[in-house]
Amino acid sequence: MLIALYSLLPIFLAFAGGLNLKKVVKNSHPSTFDKISGLSLYLLLLFMGATVGGIPDIKEKLVVAGFNALVIASGTSVITFIALVAVDKMSAKKPPLHPAPDLRNSHSDLLSILIPTLTQIITVMTGFILGFNGLMPDLNANLIISLLLYLLIFAVAVKLSYSNISIKRVLLNKANLLLTLVTILSSFAGAALASLFIKMQLREVLAVGSGFGWYTLSGTLLTKMGNPLLGTVAFLSDLFRGISALLLIPLISRFGYINAAIGISGSTALDVTLPVIEKYCGAAYIPFALLMGGVTTLAVPFMIPFFYYL
């Protein structure tokens, strides 16, 4: 537990510092931190890929890692979907049926959203190839990953502080709070269920499930904590969850299960899947998306070390 607290402290300080920066530096601009977070993210992914590529016998281990990631992603998404549908069924309100979305521009819209994800995947693969072939410079990768991680969290917190989201107003909605709690607990339940079908320790599976779809952080965080192979599982699991959410939100929302559609997106509801949620679920559901995405995003850097060091 002391190790977990030791790992959480710099993360907390980076996040708290970012949230309060504008109180100290009056002329700071969020656009600057967009560039900083973007550069930090791609460097993180590059070094993470290189670290994984340098693992002995990684080619054989990747097959197992990919299977484990798929099982965990499926477990968390399916159980979250079932739990949120059950909540809708038990509530007084009947889920509204939405008309079929206009598909004329949906393919191009989806492609524009997927391009950053594809770019990030290519960056990881580039790092992996460099690490696998021993072409990366002889640097302290763990230290670099740690510093980049803290910088990324700091920049994300700064951008959040400049957003127009009224945290107080969003948190006052009891129904959204309940749905957010159900989303988090069902993700843990799905991860625990997945542990029955794969050869991983329960604490490791729960740590991976605590990524909530934030693949750019979960994989890096576990790699930084000294387990790059588990970091690969987390990266792939959250990547599968994020991409499946992008593809399934239009379909699930069409049948009226909008809360479930938003829930399976996890922390990506705050950024990547938010445009898709707004398009197919409607503006009325944006508060739940912001609350659920925001809470899960905040939970990721704390829950992963907590479960990993249990």
Side-chain angles (χ1 to χ4, degrees):
M1 187 58 67
L2 288 176
I3 299 176
L5 292 174
Y6 175 77
S7 298
L8 289 173
L9 182 59
I11 292 172
F12 174 78
L13 292 175
F15 201 91
L19 283 177
N20 292 281
L21 179 70
K22 69 177 182 179
K23 297 178 182 178
V24 180
V25 183
K26 302 297 182 182
N27 58 347
S28 59
H29 298 285
S31 58
T32 303
F33 293 93
D34 278 329
K35 298 174 183 177
I36 292 174
S37 63
L39 179 61
S40 302
L41 171 60
Y42 282 101
L43 287 173
L44 263 174
L45 294 175
L46 184 70
F47 276 96
M48 178 187 149
T51 302
V52 174
I55 298 174
D57 303 320
I58 185 58
K59 287 174 67 176
E60 293 77 12
K61 294 176 180 177
L62 268 181
V63 176
V64 178
F67 174 75
N68 290 346
L70 185 60
V71 173
I72 296 171
S74 300
T76 53
S77 296
V78 170
I79 298 302
T80 298
F81 173 80
I82 293 173
L84 289 172
V85 169
V87 171
D88 277 340
K89 292 287 188 182
M90 290 186 290
S91 65
K93 293 195 319 183
K94 185 179 179 181
L97 284 174
H98 282 231
D102 183 1
L103 297 178
R104 287 176 294 181
N105 298 317
S106 61
H107 294 298
S108 59
D109 291 344
L110 193 59
L111 182 61
S112 67
I113 293 171
L114 284 173
I115 284 176
T117 301
L118 293 173
T119 306
Q120 292 161 10
I121 294 172
I122 292 171
T123 303
V124 174
M125 291 176 62
T126 301
F128 177 85
I129 292 171
L130 292 174
F132 184 77
N133 292 288
L135 300 177
M136 285 293 286
D138 188 16
L139 301 170
N140 189 335
N142 288 332
L143 177 61
I144 293 173
I145 288 174
S146 296
L147 294 175
L148 288 171
L149 176 64
Y150 303 146
L151 182 59
L152 175 63
I153 291 174
F154 177 82
V156 169
V158 171
K159 292 192 292 180
L160 184 61
S161 72
Y162 277 94
S163 68
N164 294 320
I165 300 171
S166 173
I167 304 297
K168 183 178 180 181
R169 182 179 177 184
V170 171
L171 288 175
L172 287 176
N173 190 309
K174 294 181 179 179
N176 288 343
L177 278 172
L178 174 62
L179 291 169
T180 299
L181 180 61
V182 170
T183 300
I184 293 173
L185 294 179
S186 58
S187 291
F188 292 151
L193 179 64
S195 68
L196 300 176
F197 302 94
I198 55 179
K199 294 180 179 179
M200 286 176 59
Q201 296 181 42
L202 178 60
R203 64 176 183 84
E204 293 179 333
V205 179
L206 288 172
V208 172
S210 298
F212 299 115
W214 193 358
Y215 62 90
T216 54
L217 180 65
S218 60
T220 305
L221 194 56
L222 285 164
T223 299
K224 171 193 168 296
M225 290 189 291
N227 198 330
L229 188 60
L230 189 61
T232 303
V233 175
F235 174 82
L236 292 174
S237 175
D238 287 323
L239 181 65
F240 293 155
R241 180 169 179 172
I243 292 177
S244 64
L246 283 172
L247 299 175
L248 291 173
I249 285 172
L251 178 64
I252 296 174
S253 62
R254 182 179 179 183
F255 289 96
Y257 299 114
I258 298 178
N259 291 326
I262 297 171
I264 63 171
S265 63
S267 63
T268 63
L270 196 62
D271 43 56
V272 177
T273 55
L274 188 59
V276 181
I277 290 169
E278 184 176 16
K279 180 180 177 66
Y280 294 102
C281 301
Y285 288 87
I286 292 300
F288 168 49
L290 293 176
L291 177 62
M292 188 275 299
V295 171
T296 51
T297 295
L298 290 172
V300 171
F302 300 100
M303 297 307 298
I304 287 179
F306 173 77
F307 282 118
Y308 182 73
Y309 289 117
L310 276 180

